[in-house]
Amino acid sequence: MLHCWFRLLIFLFYLVSLDYRSTKKMAATSKVEIIKDESVTEIPGIVAIGGNVLSATAVLGGQVVITGYVPDQQSHVTVINSEGSVLRQKTYKKPEGSIFRPYRRCDFLSTNSVVTMCESGQLGTYNLQEGTLIEEDINGLVDDVIEDWSPDRYISCIAADPVSSNVFVGTKSTSSAGLVSRDMLVFDQQLNYQRRLILPDAMRGSRDVVFHCGRLVICDHCTRNAYMVTMEGSEAELVFQFEKPELDGADWIPYKVCTDSHDYIYMLWESWGTDDWKAVLTQHSPDGRRLLKTIQVDGYSDAITTLRVDQDQEKLLVIAKNTARMYKFSLIPTQI
């Protein structure tokens, strides 16, 4: 009798383990549906200062930090809530002597700070509680540590690794002779210079970059392609080149990238028409090898990020550069 009860307990445990493994398998095979919301949110606080939007990153509390530039050689840092109301805003004058534009970009660094860079040569952190920006000019730094750094190179994008808190700063070149700058500068959380990562030969520069599962996803505007590369050591290895969207017979060029909490990858691609600019949003699988969806968006879209609205709801935000209109997409996980 005792033996029969023991066999029954073993059988029940087997059934529970099957159910647990099935649940894990279902969770592992979930997909994320992207659905555009009907409403469009205006950000009048950016329009009021004549500002343009170049990047955005979501922070805790449903807030979004937006950076870009304003007239008279200035950049801006603007903090908004999910409804587009400005909570904090400040403009920053470009330092004298720099030949590059005050185009400011940012990324989430920690619960209390955002890391930011400006093409005119500044790298710093923005304190979310105090609303203060502390930054330094990195031109002198790269002159000291990189012997072949040329004066026509400039920093162009930024991404923080949430695991190590290292900060990756991409570069581009204005040189008419090749337009090549494959340097990725790596800093620690305190923005102390760590190393130089040289990108693969197939690439020519970094328009945007995001950390993704131990690798980097980079939009290369010069080659008109997006790539996934390794990030260890001094030389990055090319993992693969992303599939490009096929729409209207256009040659689409990647320029912005972000990921969601399920590791799906989202990119903005642009194409120059005879009359206007066109842009599309693409969704890629977590491994990056499959293009899942292509959606036409505002032709002047120039910032993209994801925002956790609550524990069960995540939004993808796409913000237009010149009008500061914020378009929202619901990201709905489903099981397949």
Side-chain angles (χ1 to χ4, degrees):
M1 181 72 175
L2 185 62
H3 180 68
C4 291
W5 276 107
F6 179 75
R7 292 183 64 182
L8 178 61
L9 286 173
I10 292 294
F11 179 69
L12 290 173
F13 177 78
Y14 173 72
L15 290 178
V16 170
S17 66
L18 279 180
D19 181 67
Y20 172 73
R21 282 178 287 179
S22 174
T23 301
K24 285 193 68 177
K25 183 177 180 181
M26 289 176 67
T29 56
S30 65
K31 66 176 182 178
V32 174
E33 293 286 346
I34 176 171
I35 301 175
K36 185 177 181 180
D37 295 1
E38 294 298 325
S39 61
V40 178
T41 302
E42 305 281 350
I43 312 175
I46 292 180
V47 178
I49 62 171
N52 280 261
V53 175
L54 293 177
S55 74
T57 186
V59 296
L60 299 181
Q63 298 179 4
V64 180
V65 177
I66 298 173
T67 58
Y69 68 94
V70 295
D72 196 25
Q73 296 295 302
Q74 297 183 82
S75 64
H76 74 90
V77 176
T78 302
V79 183
I80 66 169
N81 60 20
S82 59
E83 302 304 317
S85 298
V86 172
L87 306 176
R88 190 179 288 118
Q89 184 178 69
K90 191 171 182 179
T91 59
Y92 303 89
K93 191 79 172 179
K94 186 184 85 168
E96 295 183 5
S98 175
I99 63 172
F100 298 108
R101 302 165 297 187
Y103 284 9
R104 186 174 295 278
R105 296 178 174 87
C106 63
D107 196 19
F108 177 83
L109 182 62
S110 68
T111 55
N112 192 41
S113 62
V114 166
V115 66
T116 176
M117 50 71 54
C118 205
E119 287 186 11
S120 51
Q122 291 71 50
L123 177 66
T125 54
Y126 180 81
N127 187 293
L128 293 167
Q129 288 185 344
E130 300 175 0
T132 55
L133 174 65
I134 300 176
E135 61 183 358
E136 295 183 3
D137 193 300
I138 73 165
N139 291 316
L141 170 64
V142 295
D143 287 341
D144 293 338
V145 299
I146 302 178
E147 294 181 358
D148 60 348
W149 183 268
S150 59
D152 59 10
R153 295 186 190 183
Y154 63 95
I155 54 177
S156 56
C157 56
I158 192 165
D161 175 356
V163 177
S164 68
S165 294
N166 283 341
V167 176
F168 293 80
V169 179
T171 63
K172 290 184 70 178
S173 172
T174 61
S175 172
S176 58
L179 295 172
V180 175
S181 183
R182 290 193 291 269
D183 293 315
M184 184 74 68
L185 308 179
V186 186
F187 299 81
D188 64 16
Q189 188 174 17
Q190 288 72 41
L191 301 184
N192 298 307
Y193 177 79
Q194 297 294 299
R195 59 188 170 92
R196 174 190 191 186
L197 179 67
I198 301 177
L199 301 178
D201 291 342
M203 302 180 63
R204 297 171 67 182
S206 304
R207 174 69 179 271
D208 198 20
V209 58
V210 70
F211 174 85
H212 179 68
C213 300
R215 291 172 174 170
L216 297 176
V217 177
I218 301 174
C219 296
D220 185 345
H221 205 255
C222 298
T223 64
R224 300 171 176 253
N225 287 301
Y227 306 89
M228 183 176 286
V229 304
T230 60
M231 50 185 272
E232 296 81 15
S234 60
E235 294 189 7
E237 296 181 4
L238 179 62
V239 181
F240 65 87
Q241 177 179 309
F242 279 80
E243 180 182 353
K244 301 182 71 167
E246 296 182 2
L247 189 67
D248 299 335
D251 181 17
W252 296 99
I253 305 169
Y255 63 104
K256 290 297 167 67
V257 59
C258 75
T259 61
D260 67 17
S261 60
H262 296 270
D263 294 329
Y264 282 75
I265 302 168
Y266 303 88
M267 291 190 197
L268 288 175
W269 305 70
E270 64 184 358
S271 176
W272 301 298
T274 55
D275 300 322
D276 57 0
W277 295 70
K278 296 180 180 180
V280 295
L281 167 68
T282 56
Q283 180 194 46
H284 302 258
S285 59
D287 64 5
R289 296 185 179 274
R290 291 179 295 132
L291 194 164
L292 303 176
K293 197 166 187 178
T294 302
I295 303 171
Q296 286 187 299
V297 294
D298 187 321
Y300 291 94
S301 300
D302 210 358
I304 183 172
T305 189
T306 55
L307 173 67
R308 175 68 69 177
V309 179
D310 53 43
Q311 186 175 1
D312 302 316
Q313 189 177 15
E314 188 174 16
K315 298 279 188 179
L316 177 73
L317 308 180
V318 176
I319 309 175
K321 175 180 180 178
N322 56 345
T323 62
R325 289 176 180 165
M326 183 165 63
Y327 303 87
K328 299 178 182 180
F329 296 80
S330 296
L331 302 179
I332 304 173
T334 59
Q335 294 178 347
I336 55 176

